[in-house]
Every structure is written in structure tokens, then in C-alpha cells.
Amino acid sequence: MSRMPWPDYFMKIAHVVAERSTCLRRKVGAVAVRDKRILATGYNGAPTNMRHCEEVGCLRDQLKVPSGERHELCRALHAEQNVITQCAVHGVSLQGAEIYCTTQPCLICAKLLINCQVRAIWYADSYPDQLTEQFLEESGIEHGQLPYPGHD
């Protein structure tokens, strides 16, 4: 019996983290890792002490905002934004970290992760955001889609 490879292990954890999401449209999880150690996790949901979409409904649905557009029109923070916030609150640098996400980051999250000087961004599912790919290519950050075993 062989051990699960590290990338599979961290991606599987990202999928478990996504189960905490309170988003009604898409549940996303992210894990920040450096030297095979988890630095922080995050999922998409409302800011601390605010009501979640599960309680008040989806603002994006109410405003008929299509997926991939107008990210600012949402109660929730993205999973990657919550990873960055957790690191900031606890004084943990993301410089040189790898990020494992259940979904490819949007452009806003990609720009934030670029400025955090992460080393790599791995994701299980793609997302319709061509600019993200262009920015990650230009930044030199290693990135790409990883297969998630047992995930269709």
C-alpha cells in the first residue's frame, strides 16, 4: 500500500475545507502550505460576525449577476481571500507558499496571491477567467490544474 502523494493530500484537504462554505452557488476551499505544513485554510463565506447567504439569500442571484462577473457584488469573501486574511490576522507570511484551491482563483484573488509572493497555485476545477491565466503566466508563479482523485 503506497502513501498518498503530498499534492493529492493537500487538494483533498481543500475539498474538505470547502464543505464549510456557506455560498449557495459554489463551495470553494483553499489551503496554504509551506514545507509540507499547512499555514492556513479558507472557504468562501461572509465576513466574521455577518449573516451568511444561507440565512439571507444570495445577493448575486437577487441582482442576476452572472458567474465570473462583478465579484464585488457578493456578501462572501473568496476562499483565497480568507486564507490571506487568516495569515494576516495570525502573523503568518505566505511568501514562498503553495496554494491548493478547489477552483481556479479569479483575477482579484490571483493578483492578491501574486503580491503575497506565493510560489505556486494549484487548483482542481478550472474557472472561466482568461485574465487569471495571463497574470499568473506573466508573474512567473507556477500554477495549474491538478487531477483530484475520486472527483468528477
Side-chain angles (χ1 to χ4, degrees):
M1 188 164 148
S2 64
R3 294 173 76 187
M4 179 183 294
W6 287 109
D8 294 354
Y9 173 73
F10 293 124
M11 191 60 78
K12 192 168 198 162
I13 291 170
H15 278 84
V16 170
V17 170
E19 293 178 25
R20 290 276 308 150
S21 170
T22 58
C23 181
L24 301 173
R25 283 186 164 195
R26 180 192 315 253
K27 296 188 179 302
V28 180
V31 178
V33 176
R34 189 174 42 242
D35 300 326
K36 298 180 182 143
R37 300 289 180 251
I38 294 173
L39 303 174
T41 64
Y43 52 87
N44 52 334
T48 303
N49 298 322
M50 292 187 66
R51 293 180 299 158
H52 292 275
C53 298
E54 290 177 333
E55 301 169 70
V56 298
C58 177
L59 178 62
R60 294 174 63 77
D61 281 348
Q62 293 163 12
L63 298 174
K64 298 182 182 0
V65 178
S67 181
E69 296 179 16
R70 305 291 312 267
H71 297 288
E72 75 280 8
L73 296 177
C74 182
R75 289 188 72 77
L77 292 163
H78 287 186
E80 302 89 342
Q81 292 168 338
N82 274 320
V83 163
I84 293 166
T85 301
Q86 287 302 307
C87 285
V89 166
H90 296 287
V92 176
S93 172
L94 282 172
Q95 187 174 22
E98 291 182 87
I99 308 296
Y100 291 85
C101 305
T102 57
T103 303
Q104 176 186 339
C106 70
L107 181 59
I108 294 168
C109 290
K111 290 189 292 186
L112 290 168
L113 292 169
I114 290 166
N115 268 8
C116 288
Q117 300 178 15
V118 300
R119 185 182 71 72
I121 300 171
W122 308 111
Y123 51 89
D125 296 322
S126 61
Y127 187 75
D129 194 333
Q130 288 299 101
L131 277 177
T132 294
E133 180 67 27
Q134 291 173 15
F135 273 61
L136 292 176
E137 282 295 320
E138 185 178 338
S139 74
I141 291 174
E142 194 175 357
H143 63 283
Q145 192 167 3
L146 293 179
Y148 175 57
H151 180 67
D152 352 353

